[in-house]
Amino acid sequence: MAAIGFIGLGNMGGPMARNLAKAGHAVKGFDLVPAALEAARAAGIDTVANAEAAAAGVEAVFTMLPAGPHVRAVYLGAEGQGGLLAAAEAGTLFLDCSTIDVDSARAVHSAAEAAGHLMVDAPVSGGVAGAEAASLTLMVGGSAEAFARAEPLLKAVGKRAIHAGGPGNGQVAKVCNNMMLGICMLATAEAFTLGETLGLEPKTLFDIASSASGMNWAMLNHHPLPGIVESAAANRDYKPGFAAAMMHKDLKLSQAAAASAGVATPLGAEAAQLYTLFVNAGNGGLDYSAIVKLVAGKS
Ligand code: NAD
């Protein structure tokens, strides 16, 4: 069993740190928010006074932070002073499970390597319920050596860890997957709005499309209209599930990646715009399938 630092004990990081402790690891946690530290202590996790203290004298350090700038600041320190990479002993394994932009992930990987550490980016899919049940899917970028060391630890917080290739490729997989999901949800919302307006019962269209070429995962699992797919958020007043604000974040990351790589993703760009409109109208806390309200002109 390993000594592990864990920084970012929020909605996702809190339960992930608890699952590492449950698996028998000695976890030292840190968060900026006192309530998150208190909850961690109540769950039997040692807490420390700052991020650097969580990285000292441990074999591995997890981070679960909001976005790229937070990850850069915590790893590299403010104005090049401090930071996790400087505080850790050489050869420490870093696992960043945050969802962040590809460029920041690759920059932090390079700095970790230059400081003599191993690193993986390992963004997750599965939400808070998956974090609590240790059933997350993790998309992992990093060297074969880093993945081999990371995999047993990732298995304590998730059910599946897939090696996606070199540094940053976990983030690439996450934004490409979620860009497809956003586009498929919008396509489903448009098709069902058109069909219903033209007099076709949504349930009938669902039965036909489920065994025809329009079938897609968003339609089958997260259908945007109520009364069709039992587990869908549409049946619970669009209580998430996967919040529209999270989809919006991931679509913006896909567009940052596309711009940085010089790749045209016009449907991804349109999806990002539509979720921006929807979230800015105050709907960020609804499930992402509620975008059907915007499509149908009911938002
Ligand atoms: P959260 O806001 O609940 O948690 C983030 C935590 O990081 C907060 O407790 C915050 O205080 C802490 N933090 C920020 N800066 C810090 C610093 N400098 N030092 C220490 N702690 C700091 O967010 P979350 O929902 O747990 O999401 C975390 C990451 O996981 C995000 O990148 C998000 O996109 C991703 N994600 C979330 C979900 C979800 O359903 N919530 C699903 C998949 C991926």
Side-chain angles (χ1 to χ4, degrees):
M1 291 299 121
I4 296 176
F6 203 115
I7 295 141
L9 302 165
N11 292 324
M12 297 291 290
M16 289 167 71
R18 287 201 290 279
N19 285 329
L20 284 164
K22 254 193 230 164
H25 299 296
V27 182
K28 287 201 280 182
F30 176 68
D31 195 290
L32 292 176
V33 174
L37 290 171
E38 238 163 73
R41 278 194 293 272
I45 291 167
D46 275 345
T47 59
V48 290
N50 52 52
E52 285 81 2
V58 296
E59 288 151 56
V61 180
F62 276 80
T63 46
M64 193 50 162
L65 298 164
H70 305 86
V71 171
R72 284 184 190 255
V74 167
Y75 277 75
L76 308 175
E79 288 156 18
Q81 296 290 309
L84 297 180
L85 297 180
E89 281 164 29
T92 301
L93 172 69
F94 287 90
L95 307 96
D96 181 36
C97 294
S98 327
T99 300
I100 67 169
D101 59 287
V102 175
D103 289 348
S104 291
R106 290 186 170 155
V108 174
H109 261 277
S110 297
E113 209 172 283
H117 303 305
L118 287 173
M119 178 161 191
V120 293
D121 51 295
V124 308
S125 168
V128 175
E132 279 166 357
S135 63
L136 297 168
T137 296
L138 300 109
M139 297 150 249
V140 190
S143 67
E145 185 192 358
F147 179 72
R149 261 186 69 187
E151 195 178 16
L153 297 178
L154 296 174
K155 286 284 176 63
V157 299
K159 66 172 186 314
R160 230 181 138 206
I162 304 162
H163 192 197
N169 276 20
Q171 303 294 351
V172 175
K174 169 98 186 179
V175 295
C176 290
N177 181 72
N178 283 14
M179 187 174 80
M180 281 193 279
L181 178 64
I183 292 168
C184 287
M185 178 53 76
L186 279 160
T188 304
E190 278 191 8
F192 278 78
T193 300
L194 177 63
E196 192 172 23
T197 307
L198 291 172
L200 176 57
E201 276 298 317
K203 178 74 174 78
T204 307
L205 177 56
F206 178 78
D207 290 341
I208 293 168
S210 297
S211 49
S213 46
M215 188 243 280
N216 68 81
W217 190 93
M219 181 190 84
L220 291 185
N221 295 281
H222 294 165
H223 200 287
L225 295 179
I228 296 178
V229 171
E230 202 183 320
S231 58
N235 296 320
R236 305 185 308 273
D237 287 331
Y238 298 99
K239 184 173 171 290
F242 181 46
M246 291 280 177
M247 174 54 85
H248 184 223
K249 175 188 171 181
D250 293 350
L251 286 169
K252 284 194 300 179
L253 288 175
S254 78
Q255 292 314 289
S260 176
V263 174
T265 54
L267 294 182
E270 188 62 34
Q273 291 276 18
L274 290 168
Y275 274 96
T276 299
L277 280 176
F278 190 61
V279 167
N280 286 354
N283 299 307
L286 295 179
D287 188 72
Y288 81 113
S289 60
I291 195 79
V292 70
K293 295 177 189 226
L294 180 77
V295 171
K298 293 177 185 161
S299 176

